[in-house]
């Protein structure tokens, strides 16, 4: 068994620790006192999309939840638990849902291939296509279709966030909470602001407004 890669991880950690201490001898002592991040990042699990690095964030500045295709699924207790803790305990101010061009989950949803257990997750992405099929169905170029589907999927997840009781309750209490949708270009490193933003219950359609408590 070749353990060189595994061993290199341990050595990389030591070098990283030293680099942080060289810049600030109290770096880890400060982190030890707790976290007060202003941002929750809901992104894709793709290894090419590192939340902190993309925005130049430091440890302690970004609370992160990641899954295949940056989905906000209302039955996903993992996502809801992260959201609840971020909003109600950490009192974060901003939530960014960040998709990325070239997303494997979105690409899988464009095809009919079965991926086993993952099919159940990909179905939620296909639901987004169904919601926007009138627009997506007119796009003939495969690459353009893929990119636009990524954008629509990210936008829908921001809407899904706004529909949750966690977010609506926060707004009802007068808590400052802002939702945003971005798409990251893996080939450029640049984020695209999709200009889909929410900051209060009044921006939701009446159908989705809850009788919050």
């Amino acid at each position: 068994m070749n353990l060189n890669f595994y061993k290199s991880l341990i050595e990389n950690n030591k070098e990283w620790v030293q680099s942080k201490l060289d810049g600030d001898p109290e770096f880890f002592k400060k982190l030890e006192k707790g976290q007060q991040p202003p941002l929750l990042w809901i992104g894709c699990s793709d290894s090419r999309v590192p939340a902190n690095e993309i925005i130049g964030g430091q440890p302690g500045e970004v609370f992160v939840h990641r899954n295949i295709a940056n989905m906000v699924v209302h039955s996903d207790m993992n996502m809801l638990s992260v959201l609840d803790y971020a909003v109600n305990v950490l009192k974060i101010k901003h939530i960014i849902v960040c998709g990325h061009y070239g997303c494997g989950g979105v690409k899988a949803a464009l095809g009919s291939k079965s991926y086993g257990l993952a099919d159940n997750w990909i179905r939620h992405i296909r639901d987004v296509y169904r919601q926007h099929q009138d627009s997506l169905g007119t796009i003939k170029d495969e690459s353009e279709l893929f990119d636009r589907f990524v954008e629509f999927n990210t936008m829908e997840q921001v809407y899904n966030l706004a529909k949750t009781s966690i977010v609506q309750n926060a707004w009802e209490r007068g808590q400052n909470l802002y939702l945003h949708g971005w798409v990251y270009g893996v080939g450029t490193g640049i984020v695209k602001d999709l200009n889909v933003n929410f900051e209060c219950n009044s921006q939701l359609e009446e159908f989705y407004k809850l009788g919050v408590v």
Side-chain angles (χ1 to χ4, degrees):
M1 182 183 296
N2 189 335
L3 295 177
N4 289 337
F5 172 73
Y6 174 73
K7 291 179 180 178
S8 72
L9 301 180
I10 304 297
E11 293 305 313
N12 290 344
N13 170 254
K14 293 176 182 177
E15 293 177 9
W16 175 74
V17 169
Q18 191 58 55
S19 70
K20 292 299 181 183
L21 292 176
D22 289 343
D24 180 2
E26 298 297 312
F27 182 83
F28 294 103
K29 291 296 182 182
K30 293 174 183 176
L31 289 180
E32 191 177 29
K33 295 176 181 178
Q35 61 172 329
Q36 198 71 54
L39 167 67
L40 168 61
W41 175 284
I42 298 178
C44 184
S45 299
D46 194 298
S47 61
R48 301 168 295 174
V49 191
N52 281 61
E53 292 186 44
I54 288 173
I55 59 172
Q58 296 298 316
E61 293 180 347
V62 186
F63 200 58
V64 178
H65 175 75
R66 299 172 70 168
N67 59 49
I68 294 173
N70 44 272
M71 301 298 289
V72 176
V73 178
H74 288 171
S75 58
D76 180 1
M77 292 304 297
N78 188 344
M79 183 279 300
L80 290 172
S81 297
V82 171
L83 178 63
D84 184 70
Y85 188 80
V87 172
N88 294 319
V89 178
L90 297 177
K91 305 296 183 183
I92 55 96
K93 296 291 192 299
H94 296 269
I95 304 176
I96 292 174
V97 179
C98 187
H100 68 97
Y101 297 118
C103 178
V106 173
K107 185 175 184 179
L110 278 171
S112 58
K113 180 180 177 180
S114 174
Y115 293 88
L117 182 63
D119 292 340
N120 298 282
W121 189 260
I122 294 169
R123 197 218 71 201
H124 294 293
I125 313 172
R126 290 198 173 107
D127 286 343
V128 173
Y129 189 97
R130 177 180 54 79
Q131 290 174 286
H132 296 278
Q133 59 185 335
D134 289 345
S135 176
L136 292 171
T138 64
I139 302 174
K140 303 304 180 183
D141 181 78
E142 185 175 332
S143 178
E144 182 184 350
L145 171 62
F146 189 6
D147 287 351
R148 191 60 179 144
F149 190 12
V150 165
E151 293 173 354
F152 274 133
N153 183 60
T154 301
M155 294 165 67
E156 285 300 328
Q157 305 323 307
V158 181
Y159 294 139
N160 286 344
L161 264 182
K163 297 170 190 175
T164 64
S165 59
I166 296 169
V167 169
Q168 291 193 42
N169 270 303
W171 282 334
E172 187 67 19
R173 293 192 302 268
Q175 190 170 331
N176 291 323
L177 183 61
Y178 307 94
L179 315 183
H180 318 277
W182 289 2
V183 174
Y184 173 71
V186 174
T188 64
I190 302 296
V191 295
K192 177 180 180 180
D193 187 345
L194 297 175
N195 292 313
V196 52
N197 304 286
F198 288 91
E199 59 181 86
C200 61
N201 286 331
S202 64
Q203 294 172 286
L204 277 174
E205 298 98 327
E206 287 295 328
F207 184 78
Y208 289 111
K209 292 180 182 178
L210 302 174
V212 292
V213 295

